[in-house]
Amino acid sequence: MQKINKNVVLALLSLTSLVFLLFQLYYYKFYLSQKNGTVLSKVRGSQSGQDSTRWHVVRKFLGLISSHNIPVYLIDPLILGLVDKDIEQIRSSPDGPSPECKYFCAPRDFTTFALLDKTWKHELGLFRTAEKMGFQWLKIINKDPRLDGMDDLSGIEIPLHYIFKLASHAIHLVVFYERSGNYLWHGPLRLKQHMDRKFVPFRKLHFGRYAGAYEKPELLLVSIDDLKVQIPKNPSSFLEEMSQSRFLECRYREARAFFQLYPDDASLDAVEFRKKAKSLLHLAALTLNKLGVKFWLSSGTCLGWYRQCNVIPHSKDVDLGIFIRDYKTDIIPAFQKAGLPLKHKFGKVEDSLELSFQGEDEVKLDIFFFYEEDDHIWNGGTQAKSGKKFKYLFPKFTLCWTEFVELKVHVPCETLQYIEANYGPDWKVPVKTWDWKSSPSNVQYNGIWPVDEWDDVIQIY
């Protein structure tokens, strides 16, 4: 009898423990998890709780911004990469391509969206609603570079990034601004001293390490995992653009210091030259962009941007660089069609190619082609009367975007090394007398063109 009583007691205790455990699970699932935004229900198929959490956070965020009529679009590289593989099916299917949560349930710490600044101004109401929905939020502001200039370093701050955190997932909202070069720009993410650096793992963010520049995207409304969201119409093109989007701001403070030492030339000739140089650069950019040829500011034009945020008035030309791998036979006909006749063509595609086009009133456009070696990059020069060849060596560099004379253009990211290679350590000091054969710090004699090649490698028009 005593043995039976023990078994009954043990069974009752086990049953009680099981009921209590089930109650705890029920309580967490239907009360605590909903309170914290981590609903563990199924999402278009069987998913783990963590996967489901990501989907629910995105759904809540989209509901939040929809309630405030804020148009955002998805720029998350991980999700767009997955979407791009199924883009045709996604475009053709109003309900998305899969019965399972394939995209927004993918493992990640953040989901990234973009917001155009001019489409939204009422952030206070959004934050209040976000808090009621369980979100924690963080706003990152910094100086507005559009207000910087020679005469105004205003220091006015603008919102650049927002973070909305719910449970174990966060939404990164990147604010894009339209710049005078007719492109979109986002700023870097720099935390103020008082901000919580453990709020989210900031180093894992896809946007914010650097400022970025983008073309205005054409958007497409699609259904992804039962959520309606706008995405770039061509995700693969956006992802490629993102990989090459780093932006360098003009150094206005240094330029102001330069002009305090060396007052700017405000003569009528200088003003007229800068106007013509700007027009020529815009035309060159339009022509090369139509051909899909990547170029950058080189030589004196690059020095003018880096040193004084403007065209050097005594330079008398516009200088561009192009990697020889990007050369196209259409370049010369395209410039001629644009109204810029060929002034000279030196070298050949295999060696030391350079082109010069005649702009308005003796303002010329010089295009230098760059050749890549294992440990350096170089461009060539040719003296027409002697056939002598010269070589200009540069350390390897990558390309970044900048804004120059109201134009989005490339410059070497490693600008200082590029400038110092060409102009030496005294590049800050203006020099009005310049011999292209001997003045550059990086020039080397490179032999003489064979006389029987002169007709091909030395062409003057």
Side-chain angles (χ1 to χ4, degrees):
M1 187 72 180
Q2 186 177 4
K3 185 176 181 180
I4 295 174
N5 288 339
K6 286 183 179 180
N7 289 337
V8 171
V9 170
L10 288 173
L12 288 172
L13 287 173
S14 299
L15 181 62
T16 302
S17 298
L18 180 61
V19 170
F20 182 70
L21 179 60
L22 290 173
F23 173 76
Q24 285 183 311
L25 289 172
Y26 178 86
Y27 179 75
Y28 176 79
K29 182 175 180 180
F30 291 99
Y31 178 69
L32 287 179
S33 62
Q34 291 189 21
K35 182 177 179 181
N36 293 313
T38 56
V39 182
L40 304 181
S41 60
K42 292 184 178 180
V43 183
R44 302 198 75 206
S46 178
Q47 297 291 332
S48 69
Q50 183 61 38
D51 292 345
S52 175
T53 297
R54 300 184 190 102
W55 182 90
H56 279 283
V57 173
V58 172
R59 179 182 64 82
K60 273 198 165 189
F61 173 75
L62 291 175
L64 169 66
I65 59 99
S66 177
S67 67
H68 288 263
N69 297 314
I70 302 171
V72 301
Y73 57 97
L74 181 71
I75 57 171
D76 192 278
L78 189 148
I79 299 175
L80 287 180
L82 296 174
V83 166
D84 187 54
K85 297 176 182 178
D86 303 323
I87 189 61
E88 294 303 325
Q89 191 177 357
I90 290 174
R91 284 173 177 167
S92 60
S93 174
D95 298 320
S98 171
E100 295 187 359
C101 181
K102 180 179 179 181
Y103 307 99
F104 286 118
C105 291
R108 65 196 187 284
D109 295 300
F110 299 89
T111 303
T112 313
F113 288 88
L115 164 70
L116 298 183
D117 167 68
K118 64 181 180 181
T119 63
W120 174 61
K121 297 295 180 185
H122 310 290
E123 63 180 27
L124 187 59
L126 177 73
F127 293 150
R128 289 173 178 169
T129 307
E131 290 173 355
K132 290 178 181 178
M133 295 175 68
F135 282 103
Q136 294 176 278
W137 56 270
L138 185 67
K139 174 183 175 181
I140 294 96
I141 61 175
N142 216 319
K143 292 179 181 178
D144 186 350
R146 298 170 302 171
L147 301 179
D148 280 351
M150 291 304 107
D151 302 318
D152 181 19
L153 297 174
S154 64
I156 294 176
E157 294 189 319
I158 55 174
L160 298 178
H161 300 264
Y162 296 96
I163 308 290
F164 294 88
K165 184 173 71 171
L166 185 62
S168 59
H169 196 66
I171 303 295
H172 181 197
L173 185 58
V174 184
V175 186
F176 282 80
Y177 293 83
E178 188 169 337
R179 299 279 293 249
S180 58
N182 197 33
Y183 64 96
L184 298 180
W185 169 91
H186 73 77
L189 194 156
R190 301 289 182 264
L191 297 178
K192 304 287 187 181
Q193 287 187 349
H194 66 276
M195 289 184 171
D196 180 6
R197 281 164 167 71
K198 296 182 180 180
F199 185 71
V200 291
F202 288 100
R203 292 185 180 274
K204 294 184 179 181
L205 291 173
H206 298 291
F207 292 78
R209 184 178 180 186
Y210 306 110
Y214 292 78
E215 295 299 312
K216 297 176 182 178
E218 188 176 354
L219 301 178
L220 179 69
L221 181 63
V222 295
S223 177
I224 302 175
D225 297 334
D226 275 344
L227 298 177
K228 292 289 184 181
V229 62
Q230 290 197 102
I231 64 171
K233 189 174 183 179
N234 191 330
S236 61
S237 294
F238 178 84
L239 292 172
E240 182 179 359
E241 189 177 14
M242 177 184 170
S243 68
Q244 304 169 30
S245 64
R246 185 181 173 187
F247 182 92
L248 299 180
E249 202 66 60
C250 181
R251 308 180 326 138
Y252 287 111
R253 292 186 183 279
E254 291 81 358
R256 289 183 70 180
F258 171 81
F259 285 125
Q260 287 176 355
L261 290 174
Y262 309 99
D264 195 16
D265 185 352
S267 66
L268 181 60
D269 287 344
V271 172
E272 282 298 311
F273 171 73
R274 280 176 167 157
K275 181 179 177 181
K276 292 170 184 175
K278 175 182 176 180
S279 177
L280 181 58
L281 181 56
H282 277 248
L283 181 57
L286 179 64
T287 304
L288 291 171
N289 288 339
K290 283 183 178 179
L291 294 175
V293 175
K294 186 181 295 185
F295 69 94
W296 65 90
L297 304 182
S298 189
S299 302
T301 307
C302 184
L303 176 62
W305 167 78
Y306 189 72
R307 187 176 68 188
Q308 52 211 73
C309 297
N310 208 336
V311 175
I312 299 175
H314 59 263
S315 60
K316 303 306 179 186
D317 58 16
V318 171
D319 302 309
L320 301 180
I322 297 176
F323 286 117
I324 195 63
R325 64 172 182 262
D326 295 323
Y327 171 79
K328 292 183 178 180
T329 56
D330 296 337
I331 290 177
I332 294 176
F335 275 107
Q336 290 173 329
K337 186 177 180 181
L340 300 177
L342 184 63
K343 185 179 173 76
H344 73 241
K345 176 185 176 184
F346 293 157
K348 52 187 177 180
V349 174
E350 298 80 14
D351 183 9
S352 304
L353 182 64
E354 61 174 291
L355 303 174
S356 183
F357 297 92
Q358 187 60 60
E360 181 184 358
D361 295 336
E362 300 302 315
V363 180
K364 62 187 179 75
L365 171 69
D366 292 331
I367 300 180
F368 303 100
F369 289 86
F370 284 67
Y371 299 77
E372 296 181 80
E373 305 291 349
D374 290 338
D375 59 351
H376 67 279
I377 297 173
W378 63 276
N379 73 284
T382 297
Q383 186 179 38
K385 65 180 181 180
S386 67
K388 289 181 180 179
K389 299 167 61 181
F390 299 87
K391 180 185 283 191
Y392 305 86
L393 275 60
F394 294 85
K396 287 206 162 188
F397 58 87
T398 54
L399 295 179
C400 287
W401 290 109
T402 192
E403 183 177 317
F404 185 59
V405 294
E406 298 181 349
L407 186 67
K408 173 180 168 244
V409 290
H410 278 118
V411 291
C413 299
E414 300 79 9
T415 320
L416 179 58
Q417 294 90 324
Y418 188 87
I419 294 293
E420 286 185 335
N422 210 181
Y423 296 99
D426 295 327
W427 58 269
K428 293 181 181 180
V429 181
V431 175
K432 293 189 177 182
T433 303
W434 185 261
D435 186 335
W436 61 270
K437 301 181 298 301
S438 59
S439 296
S441 299
N442 58 343
V443 66
Q444 291 184 0
Y445 177 69
N446 195 31
I448 300 177
W449 288 108
V451 175
D452 60 355
E453 291 187 25
W454 281 27
D455 287 344
D456 293 325
V457 300
I458 303 176
Q459 298 181 20
I460 302 175
Y461 299 91

